[in-house]
Amino acid sequence: MLPVITFGLIGGGWRATFYLRIAAMLPHRFRVSGILLRHPEKYEELLAKWNVAVYRSADELARDSDFLVLAVSKNGVPAWLSELSQAEIPVLAETPPATNMTEFDQLTAIAASDARIQVAEQYPLQPHHQARTACLQSGAIGDVHHVQVSAGHGYHGVSLIRKWLSIEPAQSCEIIGRRFSMPIGDVPYRDQTVPDDREGEEVQEIAIFRFSSGKSAVLDFSRSQYFSQIRANRILIRGTLGEIRDNALVRKTGPGLFESLSLERVQNGQEGSLSPLSLLEIRVGANVLYRNPFSPYPLSDEEIGVAEALVKMDTYLRQGVSFYSLTEALADVRLALAMERSFTEVKPVIVE
């Protein structure tokens, strides 16, 4: 039997509820020891719903936890990471760790220390992205030189770009970014619906990355993709022997020989299945690219990614295997900040 991972939460906002929900659904794998809130009186509804103990200090919470999860507003992350690193408390921090270059420089010094910090960048850990990564690592489409990502904003999209292109944190690049506005008839936000006759505005962000290695990428995203049924994500990964287009794989297998395959999502709980509704695995042909370690529990892909980060944080503390260090996270923030600068100044930006 796998050990139960006990973690404490700092923060009670929207992202914190993901961790509370995951622990409630998987009590055999996760336990929330407590939650640290600056003003607990503001969170009476949350505390009543999840029946979680309130702590007044990080030191007290850390004594009852394997590690702490930092899920505060992004503006509060740098100060908290500084405090926790000085106290030598292991922490899994929500993204982004920094929102400007001043914070970036502050956290770069912390990243160079022995602080036990990992960052919960869940996008590369989501099932379909893990399946695509496994496909690339198998050599199915050869060496990858170009990707187009429309699956997450800013640093999330950048993290996928760097992973699939195998870009080292210090590699330089040129970024050309543009931002466009357009009307949209469906603008829900975090489970909130809107009247059918309401028309809103969405912002489309498109950035081209040209890395010093010669590899390239396009990040193309509108935040309406997170919640709207009329906006879909798109992925293109091009290698020397083929490409992955969303969940379709086309590749060369020999002189004049080619094959087309699909990344198939195998789901429990559908039609005649009596199992709970949950992801079982993702496969291409007979090859399993990803198997859900939390099946048969009904987690969304986002929740699976977050749960994977919790498990990997536990592995990091037990075995020293880093999965997304503060250094890696800051590399993505560095590119995301440069991309934002290109959007704002409407000109190319060079990242040295």
Side-chain angles (χ1 to χ4, degrees):
M1 180 179 291
L2 294 171
V4 176
I5 298 169
T6 300
F7 63 92
L9 264 177
I10 301 178
W14 184 68
R15 286 305 296 182
T17 61
F18 278 77
Y19 295 90
L20 292 167
R21 190 163 58 247
I22 289 166
M25 285 192 286
L26 303 171
H28 62 293
R29 293 294 286 118
F30 306 110
R31 185 177 76 87
V32 179
S33 55
I35 187 168
L36 174 59
L37 300 168
R38 295 297 196 196
H39 303 285
E41 65 277 4
K42 295 182 179 180
Y43 299 93
E44 291 181 359
E45 184 177 341
L46 178 139
L47 295 173
K49 178 177 180 179
W50 298 106
N51 190 29
V52 60
V54 178
Y55 284 69
R56 291 291 185 174
S57 77
D59 287 333
E60 291 178 358
L61 184 57
R63 281 196 289 270
D64 294 333
S65 312
D66 298 328
F67 57 87
L68 301 186
V69 172
L70 183 60
V72 298
S73 67
K74 59 185 179 182
N75 294 328
V77 171
W80 269 112
L81 286 181
S82 178
E83 177 181 331
L84 295 171
S85 64
Q86 290 177 16
E88 299 183 347
I89 295 173
V91 57
L92 175 65
E94 267 289 317
T95 58
T99 60
N100 55 56
M101 289 307 298
T102 299
E103 294 173 354
F104 176 90
D105 292 338
Q106 175 189 351
L107 292 180
T108 296
I110 295 175
S113 70
D114 295 327
R116 291 177 294 171
I117 298 173
Q118 297 286 288
V119 178
E121 177 51 69
Q122 77 278 18
Y123 277 68
L125 299 177
Q126 290 177 357
H128 279 267
H129 295 327
Q130 285 206 59
R132 294 179 182 110
T133 300
C135 192
L136 302 185
Q137 291 174 343
S138 74
I141 64 170
D143 297 328
V144 177
H145 289 272
H146 178 77
V147 302
Q148 296 181 17
V149 173
S150 182
H153 75 278
Y155 48 88
H156 291 312
V158 169
S159 72
L160 292 172
I161 287 171
R162 278 208 318 114
K163 186 170 190 66
W164 288 334
L165 289 178
S166 300
I167 300 296
E168 293 298 321
Q171 190 171 145
S172 61
C173 77
E174 177 187 30
I175 303 174
I176 301 173
R178 295 295 182 269
R179 186 176 274 145
F180 309 93
S181 296
M182 63 195 76
I184 181 174
D186 183 60
V187 285
Y189 179 75
R190 291 187 182 177
D191 298 327
Q192 299 175 14
T193 58
V194 295
D196 289 340
D197 59 351
R198 173 182 167 185
E199 185 176 274
E201 183 179 82
E202 68 175 342
V203 177
Q204 191 81 25
E205 296 180 340
I206 300 175
I208 299 172
F209 297 75
R210 185 176 66 179
F211 294 95
S212 57
S213 61
K215 297 180 179 181
S216 62
V218 175
L219 192 152
D220 173 4
F221 194 70
S222 171
R223 298 205 184 205
S224 53
Q225 290 174 225
Y226 283 134
F227 300 102
S228 176
Q229 294 295 318
I230 63 172
R231 293 291 184 264
N233 291 349
R234 303 175 306 283
I235 297 291
L236 175 66
I237 306 173
R238 284 189 165 157
T240 53
L241 298 177
E243 67 180 24
I244 297 173
R245 298 190 302 269
D246 297 330
N247 292 316
L249 167 65
V250 181
R251 66 180 187 135
K252 182 176 182 178
T253 57
L257 300 175
F258 307 88
E259 69 175 354
S260 297
L261 301 168
S262 295
L263 276 66
E264 178 188 1
R265 185 183 182 99
V266 182
Q267 196 86 8
N268 279 328
Q270 293 180 321
E271 298 189 16
S273 171
L274 299 182
S275 299
L277 184 63
S278 65
L279 170 66
L280 178 62
E281 62 191 20
I282 298 174
R283 58 170 58 233
V284 58
N287 299 318
V288 175
L289 298 175
Y290 172 81
R291 180 166 283 126
N292 179 13
F294 310 109
S295 179
Y297 296 90
L299 276 67
S300 69
D301 284 8
E302 175 82 358
E303 290 164 344
I304 290 172
V306 174
E308 291 256 25
L310 289 169
V311 172
K312 289 182 179 295
M313 180 65 183
D314 180 68
T315 302
Y316 164 70
L317 293 176
R318 293 174 184 272
Q319 302 177 14
V321 180
S322 175
F323 69 96
Y324 191 69
S325 67
L326 184 55
T327 298
E328 290 285 341
L330 289 174
D332 292 334
V333 167
R334 172 173 167 259
L335 293 178
L337 290 175
M339 180 174 64
E340 179 61 32
R341 185 177 151 206
S342 183
F343 289 146
T344 303
E345 298 179 1
V346 195
K347 67 179 184 181
V349 171
I350 304 295
V351 182
E352 300 290 352

